[in-house]
Amino acid sequence: MIPKKFDRRTFLAKTVALSCSAALGGCTFNQMGISANNKQASESKVQAKPNIVFFLVDDLGWRDVGCYGSSFYETPHIDRLAAECVRFTQAYAACPVCSPTRASILSGKYPARLHLTDWLPGRRDHSFQALKNAEINKHLPFAEVTLAEALKAKGYSTAIFGKWHLGENPSGPLTHGFDLQVPRWNKGWPKSGYHAPFQMEGLKDSKGDYLTDRLTDEALNYIEQNKDRPFFLYLSHFAVHDPIQGRPDLVKKYRNKLAKMQLSKGPDFVLEGNPDEANPLSREQLTALIEQPSHQGHRVLPQRTVKIKQKQDNIQFAAMVEAMDESLGRVLDKLKAMGLTDNTIVIFFSDNGGMSAANFFNPKRQVADSRLNEAYSTSNLPLRGAKGWLYEGGIRVPMIVKWPDHGNKGVVCEEPVISTDFYPTILEMAGLPSLPDQHVDGMSFVPALKGEPFNRKAIYWHFPHYSNHGMQSPGGAIRLGDYKLLEYFENNTVQLFNLKVDPGEQNDLAEAQPKKAGELLKMLQVWRQEVSAQMVPIKQARIN
Ligand SMILES: [Ca+2]
């Protein structure tokens, strides 16, 4: 699909609509400016609104945080935040890769509905594929009223620090509701890595600077400058996405820690194949194959298998995680110093699971044994899979939400929620009217924050693409109650798991429980129709 061009008429129509909705909502804020007489009254009104800090980490796995069970990475500030509010154990990203999840957060819509189902600009087709990758929008559509736009229309100052990854200009954050963008860089990874010079416009650096720290400096400055008006701070770290480069002092710390640590038993890697093969490999077969000469090394291996890291022992990655944790600690300290703690909602989230599989954007890539820590960041155990997979390891992520004076404290919530839910939840927490025509796929989880009954009902995924991080067929998934069904599009295989008893997705129940599998498959297929999901095109002849 040819990327949609910037549609000025749509953008202007949306801006007018936002101004009108601000007026209808009783807010005196006007995007075209407010009179001096009204300004003071307006500010006194908006000051009561809570600030919102959305702390978004890139590629942080569900198990990569102390309070989620990591014994190697140290995250005292995240753990402390969790102890003060609500920690979700079954929170999902809407996609196992970056851009679609980010689109779902800011639009309240499923990636399938947006036709933005892969990272941008997306993976190209390769000769091994039986299907072509589905076509995608190359940027967040301008017709979407983003969360930033909705908040801005109600008087919020809005700023993004770090990663955007929802399209190049003119579809950068500044045309999607953000007043400020640091740095002026729209791609999904840091241009020159985490060590200065960063070579990114709008972000000064000095020798020895570390990117996570510098973005935090800028965010703290923003909090200070906006302490007297409501703000939406979208601190979207590049960390802990690769390149895997830790801050030197923390790398030293983890080198020492690893040397003294007793490593867990079990294999360093397991194999994963394509469950959608005509005769898919069983776990026993995969375990036997990884010992064979044919399956040594780190590349795309025979029978469409790849290796998945099983241990958290990467000292560079551990250092990245702790630097990110320090960043959260500094933000919380700054809020406290500014007297804003009691009026600031803090959300901690990741956009997809941990990179425990290597990136085969180039299917011929070979990773030398000496460079494994650059290709595999972490382990998602006990979850199966990795970034790029629809198994839990690719989509279940850490999530912590603090709502001062309203939300529960020190509570663990086991109800499933998904990234489309943030939009209506944030509006409700901020006391703003919902925008039901916009966040159509979101459901406010405010009841879950208050400890009231909350039932998310079905959650859906659509990933009509081959992945950089595995060789599985394109597919989709549905979660309903304790059950999850995965469907693959090459051969229409389905897998059914009961996550309550089998969170590691090892015991496929599709044959044993055909009624349940049929019910969920039907729901998934009906949902794809409802959201007009783009399907993978007609099968090509397989070329191996
Ligand atoms: Ca990501």
Side-chain angles (χ1 to χ4, degrees), residues 57-60 96-99 102 163 165 241 350-353 387:
V57 191
D58 196 359
D59 289 8
L60 184 74
V97 295
C98 306
S99 305
R102 289 158 189 273
K163 172 163 166 166
H165 209 184
H241 194 288
S350 172
D351 69 342
N352 54 252
K387 174 182 182 179

Side-chain angles (χ1 to χ4, degrees), residues 303-316:
Q303 293 153 282
R304 280 172 69 164
T305 57
V306 296
K307 289 183 176 171
I308 311 282
K309 185 175 172 66
Q310 300 290 289
K311 288 180 181 166
Q312 293 189 344
D313 57 5
N314 185 335
I315 61 175
Q316 294 283 345

Side-chain angles (χ1 to χ4, degrees), residues 287-329:
T287 302
L289 265 183
I290 201 169
E291 302 297 330
Q292 299 302 312
S294 57
H295 285 70
Q296 301 307 299
H298 294 268
R299 56 192 168 86
V300 173
L301 294 157
Q303 293 153 282
R304 280 172 69 164
T305 57
V306 296
K307 289 183 176 171
I308 311 282
K309 185 175 172 66
Q310 300 290 289
K311 288 180 181 166
Q312 293 189 344
D313 57 5
N314 185 335
I315 61 175
Q316 294 283 345
F317 183 73
M320 292 180 85
V321 171
E322 184 164 342
M324 176 275 296
D325 178 77
E326 275 185 17
S327 169
L328 180 71

Side-chain angles (χ1 to χ4, degrees), residues 229-542:
R229 64 178 299 195
F231 59 79
F232 173 47
L233 166 58
Y234 189 74
L235 179 46
S236 172
H237 276 295
F238 291 101
V240 291
H241 194 288
D242 62 338
I244 306 301
Q245 298 171 342
R247 206 176 69 204
D249 60 311
L250 291 172
V251 173
K252 184 178 175 187
K253 168 184 168 171
Y254 283 98
R255 180 174 287 114
N256 292 334
K257 181 172 181 174
L258 184 66
K260 294 173 189 162
M261 207 171 74
Q262 192 163 11
L263 279 179
S264 57
K265 291 177 180 164
D268 292 343
F269 292 91
V270 296
L271 273 187
E272 285 290 0
N274 174 23
D276 196 28
E277 291 286 286
N279 294 298
L281 296 163
S282 66
R283 173 55 57 206
E284 291 72 24
Q285 289 172 312
L286 290 163
T287 302
L289 265 183
I290 201 169
E291 302 297 330
Q292 299 302 312
S294 57
H295 285 70
Q296 301 307 299
H298 294 268
R299 56 192 168 86
V300 173
L301 294 157
Q303 293 153 282
R304 280 172 69 164
T305 57
V306 296
K307 289 183 176 171
I308 311 282
K309 185 175 172 66
Q310 300 290 289
K311 288 180 181 166
Q312 293 189 344
D313 57 5
N314 185 335
I315 61 175
Q316 294 283 345
F317 183 73
M320 292 180 85
V321 171
E322 184 164 342
M324 176 275 296
D325 178 77
E326 275 185 17
S327 169
L328 180 71
R330 291 176 65 201
V331 169
L332 297 175
D333 287 347
K334 175 59 82 173
L335 293 173
K336 189 174 181 184
M338 295 288 108
L340 299 175
T341 300
D342 294 338
N343 194 35
T344 302
I345 293 160
V346 179
I347 295 169
F348 177 87
F349 194 63
S350 172
D351 69 342
N352 54 252
M355 192 181 69
S356 57
N359 185 329
F360 294 108
F361 175 70
N362 171 5
K364 292 191 168 35
R365 182 188 186 191
Q366 304 222 18
V367 180
D369 284 350
S370 60
R371 309 193 75 166
L372 297 185
N373 280 349
E374 296 167 37
Y376 302 87
S377 65
T378 191
S379 162
N380 295 310
L381 276 180
L383 305 183
R384 185 175 184 179
K387 174 182 182 179
W389 291 73
L390 286 170
Y391 290 133
E392 295 289 282
I395 52 177
R396 197 191 285 200
V397 291
M399 172 173 150
I400 299 165
V401 180
K402 182 179 182 185
W403 188 17
D405 295 333
H406 297 281
N408 262 323
K409 294 182 175 60
V411 167
V412 173
C413 178
E414 296 182 347
E415 288 294 333
V417 291
I418 185 165
S419 48
T420 53
D421 295 340
F422 286 121
Y423 199 137
T425 305
I426 288 171
L427 292 183
E428 186 173 350
M429 286 193 289
L432 299 174
S434 63
L435 299 172
D437 291 341
Q438 176 59 48
H439 46 72
V440 287
D441 298 316
M443 180 173 169
S444 171
F445 54 78
V446 157
L449 297 173
K450 292 179 171 177
E452 296 169 359
F454 176 73
N455 181 357
R456 181 57 181 78
K457 298 183 181 163
I459 291 173
Y460 301 91
W461 291 266
H462 183 55
F463 191 54
H465 309 282
Y466 290 85
S467 167
N468 281 358
H469 296 86
M471 295 299 289
Q472 72 280 23
S473 300
I478 172 175
R479 166 88 196 256
L480 179 65
D482 295 332
Y483 284 89
K484 178 177 162 193
L485 176 128
L486 297 96
E487 179 191 10
Y488 301 91
F489 298 150
E490 274 186 27
N491 292 313
N492 309 112
T493 305
V494 297
Q495 293 178 303
L496 178 71
F497 300 105
N498 182 336
L499 296 178
K500 187 167 188 179
V501 297
D502 180 26
E505 297 172 285
Q506 296 296 327
N507 185 20
D508 181 3
L509 302 170
E511 284 190 19
Q513 299 189 29
K515 191 176 168 198
K516 175 59 77 176
E519 173 197 336
L520 294 182
L521 181 60
K522 180 75 178 170
M523 288 178 72
L524 180 56
Q525 291 172 343
V526 167
W527 169 79
R528 281 202 297 266
Q529 296 271 334
E530 284 175 358
V531 301
S532 301
Q534 82 282 36
M535 284 305 295
V536 281
I538 300 164
K539 286 188 180 184
Q540 309 174 100
R542 187 191 295 271

